[in-house]
Amino acid sequence: MKAVILAAGEGHRMRPLTSHRPKVMLPIANKPIMEHLLIEAKAGGIGEFVFVVGYCDEQVREYFGNGEKWGVSIAYSEQRKQLGTADAIRNVEGAVDGNFLVINGDVIVDRKDIGKLMENSSNTMSVIEVKDPVGLGMVEVSGRKVVNIYEKTEQPPTLIANAGLYLFTPGVFEAVSRTEKSPRGEYEITDTLKILMKTSSGLYFHQLESWLDLSYPWDLLEANENALAGLKAENLGEVEKNVTLKGAVVIGRNTVVRSGSYIEGPVIIGEDCRIGPNCYIRPFTAIGNGCHIGAAVEVKNSIIMNGTHFPHLNYVGDSVIGTGCNFGAGTKIANLRLDKENVKVAGLDTGRRKLGAIVGDHVETGINTSINVGTMIGNNTFIGPGVVVKGIIVPDSKLF
């Protein structure tokens, strides 16, 4: 059986992190979201994949190639214009045969659930029970079948959500051909599913045991925590004397950890990094390739992407930091409101009591910059010495 992974979209709600990369290529535990999905799908029994690509597709193609590195086969289908999930399925009709899976590229699912879904022989959608239905398509079920679908309504009569993972028979293509363009100009998978519901065989559902939807930048932190929870220690770099490694710590090739550094796992550090001396890296931190975490720097529960430098006297907690950033001495990122309430970003409750900043690519700060909780900073922004930053900073800004 083949799996079609939908990876054509940018992911507007992930900005500024997706300004120069597709959402599925954002890192979790130093691997793209899509790689985690591929690994789980392969372990669940899938050996052939079709990646539907569009926005910045060259990054996906260059990273995954033909799939040989993972022992699978990968073909590609282009969706240059974002016309909806049903349109993406229409485009792969010639690339699949028999029953096949369709998986949203921005969800985290478990290999066991994928394997169980493959045991079905009829059109089946995966569902998950949630506490908060905001922003999700909700599903009403009866017996073993789906009887109604509510697309992102404010007060749905159910807390069962569409999990973005499907098993389809070849009959889905006839339903897609009958799917009309929606008012927002797309061929919606919801409309295709409603057509399948009315067929003689109907539409079945499969209840997932675990699932994580990655809609907003702060969702990456929870996914990163989950991925690092099963980490096993490995040292491929150089660790000087008087370094403390506690718990599961992974150190990449050509990385040097200098004397006095204290690292509490789970932590993963990429290749060609300079760590320390005398820094403190706390649990659930992922540091990409070519990074510098210098003297008197403390990092906790954060994702730091390739080529970013925190050279000295910095604090960063519960944050997602893009590539190629440089933070001047004394720059600190706050991660906790004084009133201990959940952090909000642009009026949206993140559900997190601790959240620092979401920082785009190639951001630079001068010395002693202070970045407030819940701040989002766009790409290529320069922040001068001593500036206090809060709110949403658009790309290419210069703040003094």
Side-chain angles (χ1 to χ4, degrees), residues 281-356:
I281 301 176
R282 293 167 61 183
F284 300 106
T285 294
I287 298 169
N289 298 332
C291 293
H292 180 199
I293 308 298
V297 174
E298 181 177 346
V299 184
K300 72 166 283 272
N301 195 41
S302 293
I303 297 172
I304 299 174
M305 299 186 201
N306 296 346
T308 283
H309 297 173
F310 287 91
H312 30 234
L313 301 168
N314 307 118
Y315 175 78
V316 52
D318 303 278
S319 298
V320 182
I321 312 296
T323 61
C325 297
N326 189 75
F327 291 77
T331 294
K332 295 177 176 62
I333 301 176
N335 63 335
L336 178 66
R337 290 169 54 123
L338 290 176
D339 60 9
K340 308 299 189 295
E341 295 293 326
N342 285 352
V343 176
K344 293 183 179 180
V345 176
L348 183 65
D349 187 345
T350 65
R352 297 186 68 93
R353 196 171 69 91
K354 289 188 177 182
L355 177 66

Side-chain angles (χ1 to χ4, degrees), residues 59-89:
Q59 295 183 32
V60 179
R61 294 175 186 269
E62 182 179 351
Y63 188 89
F64 290 99
N66 63 7
E68 182 179 1
K69 177 180 175 181
W70 295 268
V72 300
S73 170
I74 299 175
Y76 295 89
S77 173
E78 290 190 12
Q79 189 188 29
R80 286 297 173 192
K81 196 170 182 180
Q82 306 307 303
L83 293 176
T85 299
D87 178 68
I89 293 171

Side-chain angles (χ1 to χ4, degrees), residues 2-19:
K2 293 183 179 180
V4 177
I5 298 185
L6 306 175
E10 172 191 340
H12 292 280
R13 290 182 291 185
M14 280 287 184
R15 287 182 179 178
L17 303 176
T18 53
S19 297

